[in-house]
Amino acid sequence: YDVAQFGNVTITPKVGVAYLNPTTTDNGWQATVGVGASYALTKNVALTADYRYQVGNDTVKQYNGSTYTAGVKVSF
């Protein structure tokens, strides 16, 4: 859900889980939290940027860390 809008910029929280099944360690769940922003260029096109931090239990600790993404969102 969008939590704030400042002009053409919309801020959205990100929360989720990921299940990892790596071949070198035990299976494990990871929690993900972050924030995203989108900037509307037109009614159907927006630039997006997201930050997510992933953290899990000790068995999948090597997969902890930050992810940054950027893109273009097109609505039909």
Side-chain angles (χ1 to χ4, degrees):
Y1 293 101
D2 300 339
V3 294
Q5 188 164 357
F6 306 98
N8 288 350
V9 177
T10 303
I11 307 296
T12 308
K14 309 284 184 172
V15 178
V17 295
Y19 180 74
L20 300 177
N21 188 8
T23 58
T24 59
T25 64
D26 294 332
N27 298 333
W29 290 95
Q30 299 279 112
T32 62
V33 295
V35 65
S38 63
Y39 177 79
L41 296 174
T42 68
K43 181 180 175 183
N44 296 332
V45 178
L47 300 176
T48 64
D50 290 325
Y51 167 77
R52 288 189 179 107
Y53 182 75
Q54 180 172 298
V55 63
N57 60 30
D58 289 338
T59 61
V60 289
K61 197 177 221 178
Q62 73 233 32
Y63 297 105
N64 292 353
S66 298
T67 304
Y68 301 92
T69 61
V72 176
K73 179 174 75 171
V74 179
S75 302
F76 296 97

